[in-house]
Amino acid sequence: MKSDSNLEKVLAAGHFAVTGELGPPRGANLEAVKEKAAHLVGMVDAVNVTDNQTAVVRMASWAVSLTIKEMGLEPNYQMVCRDRNRLAMQSDILGAAALGINTMLCLSGDHPSFGDHPQAANVHDIDSIQQLAMIKRMRDEGKFLGGDDIDTPPKMFVGAAANPFGDPFELRVLRLGKKVAAGADFIQTQCIYNMERFAEYMRQAHDMGLTENTKLLAGVTPLKSAGMAKYMANRVPGMDVPKAVVDRIAGQPKEKQAEEGIKLLCEQIEQLKEMPGVAGIHLMAIEWEHRVPEIVERAGLLPRPQV
Amino acid sequence: MITATRKPMEEILKSVEPFRKILLLGCNECVTVCHAGGRKEVALLGAALRLGRLQKGQPLEVEELTLERQCDPEYVEELARTVDQYDAVCSMACGCGVQTIAERYPALPVMPMVNTEFMGASEANGVWAERCAGCGDCVLGYTGGICPVARCSKRIFNGPCGGSTKGKCEISKDVDCAWQLIWDRLKELGQTELYSKLMEPKDWSTARDGGPRRIVREDMAL
């Protein structure tokens, strides 16, 4: 084992993993964190704690990670390259590891132009692949990026994100390959709605042997309404929501759209369970944490394994 | 070249408010090419300044001059005999020109009339685009001649990020995805293997992060 990560243990034991997500609040209210997190206890193997998602200032990812750790959840501490240089990253990683955070996700981060501080200087000292390699090196070689020895290396199970639907498509699997080569223990993908295109992506990744060297969790997000489906289809960069999916949700009366979204999600999860190389799902129930127990129950993903 | 755009008239008028006689100084290099601060722009701004101040009932005397290069002491020396006559120099050169004047004539206020923008190339008539960030350690040989530092919004060295859509950057449909351009060009060159190589963290000490930079060519010293 590379770490004490629950996610690592679940995946190593060959279980179909389930990870959730929790967005920190836009204030110093820890009760709000606990309330959201309580819905996830026992429902998922790890919880992604987002880092200033959509470039909007929120409570620190490490602080929320620590809080939910104390509640018995396994945090997947997200860290974006946008807000920190390599010094800040490494010091935060040491601090997180010292506090018992065992799982991390490396990300570029959304551009500040989307967020609440479009005037901000953005850092981008290293990119997410370099960040991944840096953490692997800290863990496996006990070295800082600058070359000095670390006296107590951080034991992190370290992952990265992949978007099978960004362009150019032919580069997507190659970029996944780069992340695996850089040391990604696991990969979580962007939300999948175009199952055909995702299956093709997985076939290529499988053929290249990438799924042997990393655990790939397929990203899914329940569509709560036709409005959300349309927003995801038209406004979110790098997102591929086929018209048939939007039409299916929009075809229901307003009060039944959320139910249809969950039904669609459960069908998708069944398909993903059968897909070669898919080691689990990453359930991004955006501001819908309270519906997670129902979703995982209906998708046949309970109880979560004790490892 | 260094690109610049003229400051808004309102800001310019406010900055010259304390003065009664100024030297409006253009530069015959980059700002001439990008139509921001050459002879023609000096004449236009000079007329606008006189008119603007007349309307306020506070006439401004404006002498117009355009130096061959404002960032070069040799040309800036031309002003030595006459510069005392003015309350201020209003420079239409880039920030290098403004600072060269300020350093040579320390007793004289120097007001910038343009905003220095970026190092750009001309894409079409009247269109300039950023092409170089002056990082001091060029990687263009590995990236198909397209710069990930200047042209990727996230400066990604192992791109593209998940936001690349139909060849465009996530920040705007008007911005090309640098990594789409890099990939297309690598394919054209038969150099796609360059993408698979992990590009190591960049040494930014050669860029602005290493502090203000200088080039010293001892072989050129007189």
Side-chain angles (χ1 to χ4, degrees):
Chain A
M1 284 297 190
K2 297 168 180 172
S3 69
D4 285 328
S5 164
N6 183 57
L7 182 61
E8 180 177 9
K9 289 172 194 159
V10 168
L11 287 166
H15 297 292
F16 190 78
V18 181
T19 55
E21 190 154 296
L22 193 151
R26 299 209 66 206
N29 181 0
L30 211 52
E31 287 313 307
V33 173
K34 290 178 182 169
E35 200 183 306
K36 274 184 174 183
H39 298 294
L40 302 174
V41 177
M43 300 295 146
V44 293
D45 305 314
V47 179
N48 282 35
V49 180
T50 55
D51 180 14
N52 289 340
Q53 66 193 82
T54 60
V56 168
V57 178
R58 292 165 188 275
M59 189 186 288
S61 178
W62 66 263
V64 173
S65 292
L66 185 62
T67 303
I68 68 164
K69 173 100 190 164
E70 286 164 354
M71 294 173 68
L73 286 162
E74 169 77 17
N76 180 13
Y77 170 34
Q78 293 193 186
M79 183 184 276
V80 298
C81 298
R82 177 195 60 226
D83 304 339
R84 284 172 191 77
N85 73 359
R86 62 190 82 179
L87 276 83
M89 281 184 185
Q90 291 178 100
S91 80
D92 281 354
I93 290 162
L94 293 181
L99 295 169
I101 293 166
N102 308 304
T103 311
M104 277 196 72
L105 192 76
C106 300
L107 300 163
S108 306
D110 293 315
H111 194 269
S113 57
F114 293 105
D116 63 344
H117 290 75
Q119 312 85 350
N122 49 114
V123 183
H124 300 300
D125 175 15
I126 56 176
D127 68 29
S128 60
I129 292 182
Q130 294 161 347
Q131 178 191 25
L132 192 60
M134 177 180 79
I135 301 175
K136 179 181 158 60
R137 187 171 178 219
M138 290 171 80
R139 178 189 69 199
D140 297 346
E141 297 172 34
K143 296 268 189 201
F144 287 111
L145 194 54
D148 287 351
D149 290 333
I150 303 174
D151 65 4
T152 304
K155 295 299 176 202
M156 286 287 178
F157 191 54
V158 59
N163 182 4
F165 309 105
D167 290 319
F169 182 59
E170 56 190 338
L171 212 49
R172 288 298 146 187
V173 180
L174 291 181
R175 183 155 153 90
L176 174 66
K178 264 185 138 172
K179 293 195 172 186
V180 174
D185 297 314
F186 68 97
I187 295 286
Q188 292 170 317
T189 79
Q190 174 68 287
C191 317
I192 299 157
Y193 295 104
N194 187 339
M195 295 300 272
E196 267 174 47
R197 192 164 161 182
F198 181 64
E200 171 58 21
Y201 174 85
M202 282 310 296
R203 197 187 56 71
Q204 288 181 23
H206 202 59
D207 288 352
M208 280 173 69
L210 298 178
T211 51
E212 281 167 37
N213 298 315
T214 197
K215 299 290 184 184
L216 192 137
L217 310 184
V220 286
T221 290
L223 293 168
K224 300 183 214 177
S225 64
M228 176 177 175
K230 284 172 191 159
Y231 181 82
M232 297 283 248
N234 303 324
R235 304 294 293 275
V236 182
M239 189 76 80
D240 181 350
V241 189
K243 190 174 174 295
V245 169
V246 179
D247 289 349
R248 179 170 161 181
I249 306 296
Q252 294 292 322
K254 217 168 182 141
E255 66 280 5
K256 286 192 179 157
Q257 288 175 352
E259 168 59 24
E260 192 65 19
I262 293 178
K263 228 166 101 184
L264 171 72
L265 180 74
C266 291
E267 291 168 21
Q268 288 175 328
I269 293 171
E270 284 310 311
Q271 281 178 272
L272 292 166
K273 280 183 189 167
E274 301 303 319
M275 215 178 269
V278 175
I281 56 155
H282 175 47
L283 175 60
M284 291 166 273
I286 306 160
E287 295 304 313
W288 231 22
E289 288 83 359
H290 63 286
R291 298 296 292 268
V292 168
E294 179 196 342
I295 292 170
V296 287
E297 164 88 62
R298 285 175 59 179
L301 297 166
L302 290 182
R304 297 312 309 150
Q306 298 296 312
V307 285
Chain B
M1 67 171 172
I2 296 171
T3 62
T5 53
R6 209 198 68 194
K7 280 182 176 288
M9 202 56 207
E10 207 173 307
E11 184 185 342
I12 288 177
L13 280 170
K14 194 157 174 44
S15 71
V16 299
E17 244 170 34
F19 311 119
R20 280 188 304 183
K21 185 176 183 187
I22 62 160
L23 174 63
L24 185 59
L25 197 57
C27 175
N28 214 14
E29 292 283 350
C30 311
V31 289
T32 293
V33 182
C34 68
H35 300 265
R39 209 174 305 275
K40 193 177 104 196
E41 292 75 27
V42 165
L44 284 170
L45 180 61
L49 272 172
R50 287 184 202 98
L51 189 65
R53 284 285 289 264
L54 261 182
Q55 284 170 343
K56 289 185 171 184
Q58 301 159 331
L60 180 70
E61 222 178 299
V62 182
E63 179 95 11
E64 296 166 10
L65 182 67
T66 297
L67 298 181
E68 198 51 36
R69 258 200 303 284
Q70 226 182 98
C71 59
D72 203 330
E74 186 186 331
Y75 297 104
V76 168
E77 203 53 38
E78 285 174 31
L79 308 179
R81 273 183 299 164
T82 52
V83 85
D84 287 348
Q85 308 167 17
Y86 308 104
D87 299 337
V89 172
C90 290
S91 169
M92 295 194 81
C94 72
C96 298
V98 176
Q99 292 183 65
T100 306
I101 300 285
E103 201 174 324
R104 173 61 185 85
Y105 305 106
L108 202 66
V110 187
M111 315 302 297
M113 298 290 109
V114 302
N115 290 320
T116 307
E117 305 278 353
F118 49 80
M119 280 186 270
S122 178
E123 275 187 348
N125 213 15
V127 182
W128 295 272
E130 184 158 25
R131 288 286 183 270
C132 175
C135 72
D137 182 15
C138 194
V139 297
L140 286 169
Y142 305 108
T143 57
I146 291 140
C147 179
V149 182
R151 301 183 66 180
C152 167
S153 302
K154 300 178 186 172
R155 300 205 291 196
I156 295 179
F157 276 76
N158 293 285
C161 79
S164 174
T165 306
K166 295 187 175 75
K168 298 296 174 186
C169 175
E170 70 176 27
I171 68 160
S172 164
K173 287 188 171 68
D174 299 328
V175 177
D176 289 326
C177 167
W179 276 99
Q180 175 81 54
L181 298 176
I182 291 170
W183 178 244
D184 291 346
R185 181 109 162 96
L186 288 178
K187 278 200 295 188
E188 214 172 290
L189 296 169
Q191 291 184 325
T192 51
E193 76 287 353
L194 284 175
Y195 178 73
S196 303
K197 184 181 159 286
L198 261 177
M199 285 183 84
E200 295 291 321
K202 188 172 173 63
D203 175 357
W204 293 107
S205 68
T206 58
R208 180 63 186 76
D209 305 80
R213 294 167 283 176
R214 292 176 88 196
I215 296 171
V216 180
R217 285 274 303 264
E218 282 171 8
D219 56 320
M220 291 176 66
L222 289 175

